[in-house]
């Protein structure tokens, strides 16, 4: 009988050549005796009707498992999507010609679940090229409740160990007013808005006396409330700057936070970032 061989192919591993002996199960030769010719024919027929050798099946399964493991390792090495990059933003964001030392970020539907659902309009701001975009935990991202979230969620986060951090917080309008498509003026004064959203600035609580300064600014048809906060007990940092506006069914709040040490050297940078925020 001619020898046979089999090959199992995986796209991530080289082909495995099985030895010829694996093509069929070996057996001892039949003993000579009466009816030996009939016995030989019976043995040959039995061998031909046997299922594929289990060794080849086992080898195939082993190849599949190894290939799957290699594919998993490949995915682990694949770069993270834009919304989860933990690399300096200067590597993927364009510089701002009018503001040397800054790069430009404009959120698109690729960045967050709320933007894809149409609950938030695209927003933009500038930041230093050395900052990093960080992951937003799923429970904070609003991913689980789109398109109808009852509580505020975090859109994006960026930070720098030496200068501070910023985040964009979005709140459904219905949480602040029953009036659909309300402007930020319809919601109330800057102090009233911050009384509702303050915990999302500080990470815990906000007292009225921690609001040092408020400003109302009109950019086109959009009104913005800006804040300077001194928050010694805040989880986000003892210094916070914020800027908020309402558009569509959402209030969007941009927050820049710093510790005392960070604030000494970065307050001008953080203020430039907050001033640049627009929806």
């Amino acid at each position: 009988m001619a020898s046979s061989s089999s090959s199992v192919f995986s796209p991530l591993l080289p082909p495995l050549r099985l030895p010829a002996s694996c093509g069929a199960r070996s057996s001892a030769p039949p003993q000579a005796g009466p009816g030996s010719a009939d016995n030989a024919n019976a043995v040959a027929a039995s061998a031909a009707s046997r299922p594929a050798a289990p060794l080849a099946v086992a080898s195939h399964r082993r190849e599949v498992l190894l290939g799957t493991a290699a594919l998993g390792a490949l995915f682990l090495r694949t770069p993270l999507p834009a919304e989860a990059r933990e690399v300096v933003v200067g590597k993927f964001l364009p510089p701002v010609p009018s503001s040397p030392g800054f790069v430009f970020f404009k959120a698109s539907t690729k960045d967050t679940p709320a933007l894809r659902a149409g609950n938030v309009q695209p927003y933009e701001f500038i930041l230093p090229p050395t900052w990093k975009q960080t992951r937003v935990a799923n429970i904070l991202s609003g991913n689980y409740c789109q398109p109808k979230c009852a509580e505020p969620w975090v859109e994006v986060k960026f930070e720098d160990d030496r200068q501070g951090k910023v985040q964009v917080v979005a709140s459904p309008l219905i949480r602040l007013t029953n009036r659909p498509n309300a402007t930020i003026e319809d919601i109330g004064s800057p102090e009233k808005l911050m009384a509702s959203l303050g915990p999302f600035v500080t990470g815990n609580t906000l007292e009225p006396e921690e609001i040092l300064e408020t400003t109302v600014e009109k950019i086109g048809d959009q009104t913005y409330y800006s804040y300077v906060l001194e928050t010694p007990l805040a989880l986000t940092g003892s210094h916070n700057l914020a800027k908020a506006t309402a558009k569509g069914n959402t209030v969007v709040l941009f927050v820049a936070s710093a510790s005392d040490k960070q604030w000494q050297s970065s307050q001008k940078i953080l203020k430039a970032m907050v001033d640049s925020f627009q929806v």
Side-chain angles (χ1 to χ4, degrees):
M1 181 182 294
S3 64
S4 63
S5 64
S6 62
S7 173
V8 181
F9 174 73
S10 166
L12 298 176
L13 295 172
L16 176 65
R17 300 290 179 183
L18 297 179
S21 58
C22 294
R25 182 180 298 172
S26 62
S27 60
Q31 297 294 324
S36 59
D38 293 337
N39 289 339
N41 291 335
V43 170
S46 175
S49 63
R50 286 192 186 112
L55 180 56
V57 174
S59 297
H60 175 72
R61 289 175 178 170
R62 179 175 178 274
E63 283 292 287
V64 170
L65 292 173
L66 289 174
T68 303
L71 185 61
L74 180 65
F75 281 130
L76 290 174
R77 292 194 297 269
T78 302
L80 295 169
E83 65 269 26
R85 290 178 183 173
E86 290 193 341
V87 298
V88 293
V89 295
K91 291 185 178 295
F92 62 93
L93 293 180
V96 183
S98 59
S99 300
F102 289 91
V103 293
F104 179 71
F105 174 80
K106 183 171 184 177
S108 70
T109 54
K110 296 183 298 182
D111 290 298
T112 74
L115 284 162
R116 288 190 286 275
N119 282 340
V120 175
Q121 300 301 309
Y123 45 84
E124 61 186 53
F125 53 89
I126 64 173
L127 67 163
T130 55
W131 282 48
K132 295 180 180 180
Q133 185 171 2
T134 60
R135 292 178 177 86
V136 177
N138 190 61
I139 194 171
L140 300 177
S141 70
N143 185 45
Y144 65 93
C145 61
Q146 299 297 335
K148 292 184 178 181
C149 293
E151 292 297 324
W153 65 89
V154 177
E155 280 280 291
V156 292
K157 295 172 66 176
F158 297 82
E159 66 179 34
D160 181 278
D161 291 340
R162 296 171 300 171
Q163 296 180 329
K165 54 190 156 188
V166 299
Q167 61 179 335
V168 176
V169 177
S171 173
L173 196 62
I174 192 65
R175 188 179 185 274
L176 303 169
T177 178
N178 290 325
R179 182 173 177 177
N181 297 311
T183 65
I184 199 167
E185 296 100 326
D186 294 330
I187 297 172
S189 66
E191 290 78 10
K192 181 180 179 181
L193 180 72
M194 187 53 64
S196 297
L197 296 181
F200 301 96
V201 174
T202 64
N204 45 23
T205 59
L206 179 70
E207 301 298 330
E209 60 270 19
E210 296 176 337
I211 303 175
L212 301 184
E213 182 182 331
T214 63
T215 306
V216 179
E217 179 185 14
K218 193 88 169 180
I219 303 176
D221 296 332
Q222 221 37 49
T223 299
Y224 295 84
Y225 290 168
S226 295
Y227 303 86
V228 178
L229 310 171
E230 188 170 315
T231 52
L233 300 179
L235 298 179
T236 52
S238 51
H239 299 273
N240 284 279
L241 303 174
K243 188 175 180 179
T245 193
K247 194 167 187 177
N249 295 318
T250 310
V251 172
V252 184
L253 179 70
F254 183 78
V255 183
S257 308
S259 64
D260 286 331
K261 183 177 180 180
Q262 291 168 334
W263 183 252
Q264 293 174 11
S265 61
S266 65
Q267 55 180 301
K268 290 183 179 179
I269 293 173
L270 297 177
K271 187 177 187 306
M273 295 167 68
V274 173
D275 289 344
S276 71
F277 178 74
Q278 291 189 43
V279 178

